[in-house]
């Protein structure tokens, strides 16, 4: 039996590259991805044709895989190329970054060259604030300012490291090196912590395992060209594995 398409009842949130709509069922919502691209917290703006579909389908393939491995996620089902039904959560104001190689802000902050393997994954928290440029914070900040409980912090750390192990193996099979990535978590009305938001070339650093070529948003951030092609190449590899 075909499931009926849920109806959007209100715009809940408009982000830089996605919109979130409420549904008649208050425990769910619809995420709708656009082709808009931003970097440096909105200072750089552009369009990457077809990006919304790549982000939606890659995120869903990864969320399905993580769910099948026991990670609690907000994913319910894909509605179209660019829209997905998810469980409604209250997002925690934190980004969890996991790094396997030096790059980006870590390389910059510590004066390191990019691409050095880290002997153990490095986990960081950023406080989500465009005005403050998403500053790096630690557990004491999180607890002191009430952004999450001690139990939620410990659970986010454990889940994120498990996600890192799972994604590293999954992407390795697609010839992609997982350099680093960002996760976000939310809490349901019943208090359950779920992995939410997206996992895509917008929020991860993906390098081709053989050539080291960048297949992610750094091509846009750093004006490297070949942005659309890189996103399509990631999509092609996922589809070749029938994952999307
Ligand atoms: P960073 O090196 O700029 O701190 O980024 C680390 C990883 O997290 C990288 O894969 C990009 C991702 N990220 C986001 O998706 N959104 C953000 O707001 C930030 C700061 C990082």
């Amino acid at each position: 039996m075909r499931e009926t398409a849920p109806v959007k009842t209100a715009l809940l949130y408009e982000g830089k590259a996605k919109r979130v709509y409420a549904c008649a069922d208050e425990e769910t919502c619809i995420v709708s991805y656009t082709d808009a691209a931003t970097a440096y917290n909105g200072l750089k703006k552009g369009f990457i044709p077809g990006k919304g579909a790549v982000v939606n389908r890659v995120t869903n393939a990864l969320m399905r895989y993580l769910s099948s491995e026991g990670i609690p996620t907000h994913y319910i089902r894909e509605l179209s190329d660019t829209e997905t039904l998810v469980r409604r959560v209250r997002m925690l104001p934190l980004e969890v970054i996991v790094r396997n190689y030096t790059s980006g802000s870590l390389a910059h902050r510590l004066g390191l060259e990019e691409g050095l393997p880290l002997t153990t994954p490095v986990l960081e928290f950023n406080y989500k604030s465009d005005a403050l440029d998403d500053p790096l914070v630690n557990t004491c900040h999180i607890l002191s300012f009430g952004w999450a409980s001690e139990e939620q912090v410990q659970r986010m750390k454990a889940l994120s490291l498990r996600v890192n192990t799972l994604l590293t193996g999954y992407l390795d099979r697609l010839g992609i090196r997982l350099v680093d990535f960002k996760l976000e978590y939310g809490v349901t009305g019943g208090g359950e912590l779920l992995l939410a938001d997206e996992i895509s070339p917008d929020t991860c650093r993906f390098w081709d395992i053989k050539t080291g070529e960048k297949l992610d948003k750094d091509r846009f951030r750093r004006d490297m060209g070949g942005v659309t092609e890189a996103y399509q190449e990631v999509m092609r590899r996922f589809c070749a594995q029938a994952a999307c």
Side-chain angles (χ1 to χ4, degrees):
M1 199 180 72
R2 275 194 69 191
E3 290 173 88
T4 49
V7 178
K8 296 171 190 159
T9 53
L11 178 65
L12 287 176
Y13 163 84
E14 177 143 26
K16 294 188 270 286
K18 67 171 84 76
R19 296 188 188 95
V20 180
Y21 296 93
C23 296
D25 172 358
E26 288 180 1
E27 292 191 358
T28 65
C29 52
I30 294 172
V31 185
S32 178
Y33 294 96
T34 73
D35 291 348
T38 65
Y40 311 115
N41 277 328
L43 283 180
K44 181 178 165 79
K45 291 190 173 74
F47 266 92
I48 304 175
K51 180 171 85 76
V54 175
V55 167
N56 187 49
R57 294 178 66 190
V58 166
T59 293
N60 293 342
L62 292 175
M63 289 291 187
R64 282 191 295 267
Y65 171 62
L66 293 172
S67 298
S68 78
E69 293 289 335
I71 303 290
T73 81
H74 72 159
Y75 176 79
I76 299 176
R77 71 186 154 99
E78 195 165 279
L79 299 174
S80 72
D81 263 4
T82 55
E83 294 196 332
T84 295
L85 186 67
V86 297
R87 289 179 66 188
R88 191 161 169 180
V89 291
R90 176 181 60 82
M91 296 301 292
L92 298 181
L94 296 165
E95 299 181 336
V96 186
I97 311 276
V98 183
R99 303 174 186 274
N100 297 305
Y101 294 82
T102 57
S103 192
S105 68
L106 176 74
H108 187 250
R109 196 181 328 123
L110 299 182
L112 299 168
E113 65 178 277
E114 285 204 308
L116 303 174
L118 297 161
T119 51
T120 181
V122 170
L123 188 145
E124 299 170 346
F125 287 101
N126 288 346
Y127 173 58
K128 275 172 69 78
S129 163
D130 280 352
L132 300 176
D133 220 5
D134 297 342
L136 183 71
V137 294
N138 65 23
T139 303
C140 292
H141 298 110
I142 295 171
L143 299 182
S144 189
F145 294 108
W147 295 324
S149 69
E150 171 91 57
E151 190 190 341
Q152 287 167 339
V153 170
Q154 294 313 327
R155 183 117 172 99
M156 283 190 283
K157 284 184 182 173
L159 285 172
S160 301
L161 292 174
R162 174 81 183 129
V163 167
N164 184 42
T165 303
L166 291 167
L167 292 187
T168 297
Y170 185 102
L171 291 161
D172 189 70
R173 293 190 282 281
L174 305 186
I176 294 172
R177 169 169 298 160
L178 182 59
V179 172
D180 59 28
F181 60 97
K182 183 259 312 177
L183 300 176
E184 295 188 28
Y185 291 85
V187 183
T188 65
E192 197 184 350
L193 184 79
L194 300 180
L195 177 61
D197 199 49
E198 63 179 272
I199 310 173
S200 78
D202 267 10
T203 61
C204 303
R205 287 196 170 93
F206 290 157
W207 293 2
D208 182 90
I209 279 182
K210 287 205 188 102
T211 65
E213 187 189 1
K214 294 186 197 302
L215 299 171
D216 56 57
K217 199 159 102 176
D218 270 350
R219 300 200 76 88
F220 171 77
R221 292 188 189 98
R222 303 179 187 188
D223 292 321
M224 296 172 73
V227 185
T228 308
E229 293 77 3
Y231 277 70
Q232 292 302 324
E233 175 59 17
V234 171
M235 178 86 128
R236 191 192 65 72
R237 293 189 195 193
F238 273 77
C239 294
Q241 183 165 280
C244 63

